[in-house]
Amino acid sequence: MKDLGKWKRPILILIDAVLINLSYILALYFRYDYRIFRHFSTNYKKIAIIVTLIYLISFYFFKLYESIWSYASIDEFMLGIGGCLVGSLITIAFLRISSYGFAYGVSILACAFTIFFVIGFRVSFRIYDRFTCILDNTTNKKHLKRALIVGAGSAASMVIREMKNNRNSEYIPVALIDDDDYKLKKNVLGVKVIGNRRAITRIAKEESIDTIIVAIPSIKEEDRKEILNICKETGCKVQIIPGIYEIINGKVSLNQIRDVNIEDLLGRKPIKLDMKGISKYIKNKCVLVTGGGGSIGSELCRQIAKFNPRTLIIVDIYENNAYDIQNELKYKYPNLDLKVLIASVRDKKRLKSIFNKYLPQIIFHAAAHKHVPLMEYSPMEAIKNNVFGTYNVAECADEFNVERFVLISTDKAVNPTNIMGATKRMCEMIIQSMDKISKTQFVAVRFGNVLGSNGSVIPLFKKQMAHGGPVTVTHKNITRFFMTIPEASQLVLQAGAFAKGGEIFVLDMGQPVKIYDLACDLIRLSGFEPNKDMKIKITGLRPGEKLYEELLMNEEGLTNTEHEKIFIGKPTFSDINELREKMMQLKDVIDEDDIEKLILKVEEVVPTYHRNEEDEVAVTN
């Protein structure tokens, strides 16, 4: 088969040569009677090679030998016609200046025949491919998924074309949905528009639809949310075409159609950023991101890279994550001065070495242990990494005159009921007290759960569904604030631009969402019925977990910023000497390796921390 592939172009050139000469012979035959035809055909034989070469060279420049004609579009056909016309014009010029001139009618007929034969031969590839594909689809029709396509625009037409032309397609397009009344009852590549979004539920039932594909890449967030909410009630699997910015060169393929994510149902408007403000404090600066390989840290690095920092330093203890983001950024930003360093925030000596060598000007501190249940069973590790790690980075920032330090905090720091939340509250206390004695502007940004981050609920649900269930929810009434990774990272950068020192920036997370409802939505969008096709199991609250999260403590108050989604909680802790004394006490307790004593000390340091009565901390070696 490989040897045959080498000969495809020479064979096609040979066939074109035959068709070109056949065109001229037929043109002569139709233009002259038999006696004159014999005369001119004898003359034509003398120049046949030159005429053939003229056409073949024209075809070469018009790239007729570079196209895959089984997938040819109007562009390839126009190039083919252009190649024939140019070849004909050059041939006419050659015949006029030579002694072998024919009537213009011969050249015109020959040109028409050449277009018909050369382009027709190429069209036959596509006709054959389409015919065999139709036969395959007809044979396998019972096994194909019946697809309802929402949207009757260019993306939908590309999807329908590929469904019909791709013999490996799993779908058969049944009908189209579009809100444009003009398109109603019209056809797109043989598929009829039979209703608008309000008819989706009825049509899905009447047409026995298996899969609904939303094929409107430029759809507004509110409309997408409404359509998906309608689709999830049909019992069909729902898939979506990516946004235009995700589609290479505007092309859509069936491989790019993805399952609907819960993020699609948030219906959020795109976040508007103050690009000038962000660029002003990042451009041409040395920026360091701790935990730069994690979910939030890596997305921060992606966003920071867009603003042309002088140097971007990624610090992470986990080499695999660091390696992945390093490769990604090197590919996307080849001119970025990127340093990826393996280091632990617990190791102050290593941190001081990094700060001394690179002199970072901006720090985003995202390194932390964040999994609530795990930290309940390993509280000492949570304090070593989160509290003392933050303290180490903060002291280095102060010592080396860093301009701005941004801590990534969490809503779990508000009235914490778990060790992870308590450690994050201590981190906020470190930031607020350090700001009072340092030239560095120390601030914290607090937000809730991030959809799609490592260990978040949605990836867990998807894994459970892939294994056939059940999907586990800890409590039917548990609620959480949610935000996408890009949303959170962009707002962190924006908050950094507003920093004056000591603030805790609180991000507007919208309305809290019931985890149980999230599970139901994800199950429905996958084409199943909750608790019928896919069971939801209530497992009970985990250690340290509470039913709802808060974003502000009562004493903090709230003030607006220039950005509608960012607010400021006023500082509530500022005594650096008291903090240092408590840090020393914590260190002594850790050295004693007494977990119960450690928990009591944490309750003393963070007065708002209260354990759930049923929680028990396991003593681990």
Side-chain angles (χ1 to χ4, degrees):
M1 292 299 291
K2 290 182 179 179
D3 292 337
L4 181 62
K6 294 178 181 179
W7 291 99
K8 282 184 178 179
R9 182 177 291 185
I11 290 171
L12 189 56
I13 291 172
L14 181 62
I15 292 171
D16 281 344
V18 172
L19 293 176
I20 291 163
N21 287 283
L22 177 62
S23 298
Y24 270 89
I25 291 170
L26 286 174
L28 289 167
Y29 180 80
F30 282 107
R31 177 64 179 81
Y32 302 112
D33 62 32
Y34 181 71
R35 286 178 301 169
I36 303 175
F37 165 72
R38 289 183 64 188
H39 169 70
F40 278 106
S41 60
T42 301
N43 286 344
Y44 175 73
K45 290 177 184 178
K46 299 175 182 178
I47 60 170
I49 293 177
I50 297 174
V51 172
T52 304
L53 286 174
I54 289 172
Y55 271 93
L56 292 178
I57 291 170
S58 177
F59 290 173
Y60 173 80
F61 281 106
F62 276 83
K63 301 181 179 180
L64 266 67
Y65 302 113
E66 295 180 16
S67 300
I68 302 175
W69 286 91
S70 297
Y71 304 102
S73 66
I74 190 68
D75 294 336
E76 280 79 15
F77 294 122
M78 293 302 293
L79 285 172
I81 292 171
C84 292
L85 289 174
V86 170
S88 178
L89 290 172
I90 295 173
T91 301
I92 290 172
F94 164 71
L95 292 173
R96 287 304 95 191
I97 62 176
S98 70
S99 58
Y100 301 101
F102 303 128
Y104 281 113
V106 173
S107 297
I108 293 171
L109 278 173
C111 179
F113 281 129
T114 305
I115 291 173
F116 178 78
F117 289 135
V118 171
I119 304 302
F121 177 70
R122 284 158 169 77
V123 170
S124 67
F125 288 104
R126 183 160 181 175
I127 293 173
Y128 172 77
D129 192 70
R130 179 67 180 274
F131 180 72
T132 55
C133 188
I134 290 171
L135 284 179
D136 289 343
N137 288 344
T138 303
T139 305
N140 301 318
K141 196 171 183 179
K142 292 181 180 179
H143 304 291
L144 296 177
K145 298 173 184 176
R146 294 174 61 81
L148 175 66
I149 300 171
V150 180
S154 58
S157 68
M158 292 179 193
V159 171
I160 293 170
R161 184 178 291 110
E162 186 161 352
M163 284 180 180
K164 290 187 173 184
N165 293 343
N166 187 347
R167 55 174 49 88
N168 295 318
S169 170
E170 301 176 357
Y171 308 95
I172 179 170
V174 175
L176 286 161
I177 291 290
D178 202 285
D179 288 336
D180 187 346
D181 292 336
Y182 172 77
K183 295 179 180 178
L184 190 62
K185 297 185 179 179
K186 301 290 192 306
N187 286 285
V188 177
L189 299 178
V191 182
K192 184 176 284 189
V193 180
I194 60 175
N196 56 30
R197 71 176 70 177
R198 293 184 294 276
I200 290 175
T201 305
R202 173 180 58 80
I203 292 169
K205 185 176 181 181
E206 291 176 355
E207 299 292 338
S208 301
I209 299 299
D210 300 306
T211 302
I212 299 174
I213 298 173
V214 181
I216 318 174
S218 57
I219 191 171
K220 293 180 180 177
E221 286 73 15
E222 299 92 335
D223 289 332
R224 178 173 58 193
K225 180 181 179 181
E226 182 182 343
I227 289 172
L228 292 178
N229 279 327
I230 294 171
C231 291
K232 74 183 182 185
E233 301 301 327
T234 63
C236 302
K237 183 170 183 178
V238 184
Q239 294 185 298
I240 194 167
I241 284 179
I244 287 176
Y245 62 92
E246 295 177 78
I247 301 175
I248 300 174
N249 296 326
K251 298 290 178 71
V252 178
S253 76
L254 297 180
N255 292 331
Q256 289 169 316
I257 296 174
R258 60 170 173 80
D259 291 345
V260 174
N261 295 321
I262 292 298
E263 292 95 316
D264 297 314
L265 287 172
L266 290 179
R268 301 257 180 84
K269 293 181 179 179
I271 293 173
K272 295 181 181 179
L273 300 178
D274 174 16
M275 297 298 185
K276 289 184 179 179
I278 296 174
S279 179
K280 186 177 180 180
Y281 84 95
I282 289 180
K283 187 176 181 180
N284 294 324
K285 298 288 181 69
C286 181
V287 183
L288 185 149
V289 181
T290 68
S295 303
I296 296 298
S298 61
E299 183 62 26
L300 273 172
C301 292
R302 294 184 190 98
Q303 300 289 342
I304 291 167
K306 297 176 183 177
F307 291 94
N308 300 313
R310 173 170 53 82
T311 304
L312 175 58
I313 304 171
I314 296 175
V315 173
D316 204 293
I317 189 60
Y318 186 41
E319 61 177 324
N320 291 348
N321 283 348
Y323 180 74
D324 289 342
I325 189 64
Q326 179 187 46
N327 287 342
E328 179 184 336
L329 292 179
K330 277 187 172 182
Y331 178 77
K332 289 183 178 179
Y333 304 96
N335 297 322
L336 174 66
D337 182 17
L338 178 66
K339 312 293 182 186
V340 179
L341 309 174
I342 302 303
S344 171
V345 293
R346 300 184 187 189
D347 187 346
K348 191 172 182 180
K349 184 177 180 181
R350 169 70 167 143
L351 288 175
K352 288 184 74 170
S353 173
I354 293 170
F355 275 71
N356 184 56
K357 182 175 181 179
Y358 295 103
L359 298 175
Q361 296 159 285
I362 310 293
I363 294 175
F364 291 93
H365 180 50
H369 288 323
K370 65 176 185 177
H371 295 291
V372 170
L374 288 178
M375 293 306 102
E376 288 300 289
Y377 290 97
S378 302
M380 288 190 177
E381 297 307 305
I383 291 172
K384 289 176 188 176
N385 196 68
N386 294 3
V387 179
F388 286 98
T390 298
Y391 189 59
N392 289 339
V393 181
E395 284 202 318
C396 286
D398 174 53
E399 181 180 346
F400 290 91
N401 297 313
V402 169
E403 296 174 13
R404 199 164 301 184
F405 183 111
V406 181
L407 166 74
I408 308 301
S409 189
T410 171
D411 55 2
K412 293 174 178 62
V414 182
N415 300 321
T417 59
N418 52 69
I419 279 292
M420 198 284 285
T423 61
K424 279 297 191 177
R425 178 56 193 152
M426 282 189 266
C427 292
E428 292 179 352
M429 293 164 65
I430 291 170
I431 295 309
Q432 290 182 323
S433 58
M434 286 292 293
D435 185 72
K436 294 296 180 182
I437 62 164
S438 176
K439 293 180 180 179
T440 301
Q441 295 173 331
F442 287 91
V443 299
V445 181
R446 184 189 290 165
F447 51 85
N449 295 270
V450 179
L451 286 168
S453 63
N454 295 330
S456 67
V457 69
I458 300 304
L460 173 62
F461 286 169
K462 288 184 176 180
K463 286 180 182 178
Q464 291 173 336
M465 289 172 61
H467 289 93
V471 173
T472 58
V473 177
T474 57
H475 195 286
K476 199 164 186 177
N477 295 320
I478 193 169
T479 63
R480 290 292 182 266
F481 291 98
F482 282 104
M483 184 170 279
T484 66
I485 294 175
E487 277 182 317
S489 300
Q490 289 170 15
L491 287 174
V492 166
L493 290 184
Q494 185 66 80
F498 296 150
K500 295 180 180 177
E503 302 99 333
I504 293 180
F505 290 99
V506 180
L507 306 187
D508 178 5
M509 303 287 294
Q511 295 299 314
V513 179
K514 276 190 176 183
I515 303 297
Y516 187 87
D517 291 344
L518 274 183
C520 290
D521 286 345
L522 195 61
I523 290 170
R524 289 193 181 101
L525 291 169
S526 300
F528 303 109
E529 184 63 29
N531 291 316
K532 185 178 178 182
D533 305 314
M534 187 70 65
K535 183 175 175 57
I536 300 177
K537 182 179 179 182
I538 306 298
T539 59
L541 291 175
R542 298 172 297 179
E545 191 172 43
K546 54 184 178 180
L547 280 177
Y548 60 92
E549 302 290 1
E550 307 158 88
L551 288 175
L552 275 174
M553 293 188 294
N554 293 330
E555 68 269 24
E556 283 181 314
L558 198 68
T559 56
N560 296 328
T561 66
E562 297 173 29
H563 197 284
E564 60 181 4
K565 287 187 173 291
I566 302 176
F567 301 88
I568 298 175
K570 66 180 181 181
T572 58
F573 189 90
S574 60
D575 192 334
I576 188 64
N577 293 322
E578 180 185 348
L579 178 71
R580 283 173 174 163
E581 183 180 344
K582 289 180 177 179
M583 294 285 287
M584 289 298 297
Q585 293 171 0
L586 271 174
K587 189 176 184 302
D588 291 340
V589 174
I590 288 174
D591 290 340
E592 293 177 22
D593 199 24
D594 187 332
I595 290 181
E596 277 302 324
K597 193 172 180 180
L598 177 69
I599 298 301
L600 292 173
K601 178 56 65 175
V602 171
E603 289 178 335
E604 180 184 325
V605 177
V606 184
T608 55
Y609 167 53
H610 299 288
R611 281 183 290 172
N612 291 330
E613 292 182 2
E614 63 270 22
D615 289 345
E616 293 182 4
V617 178
V619 179
T620 56
N621 294 324

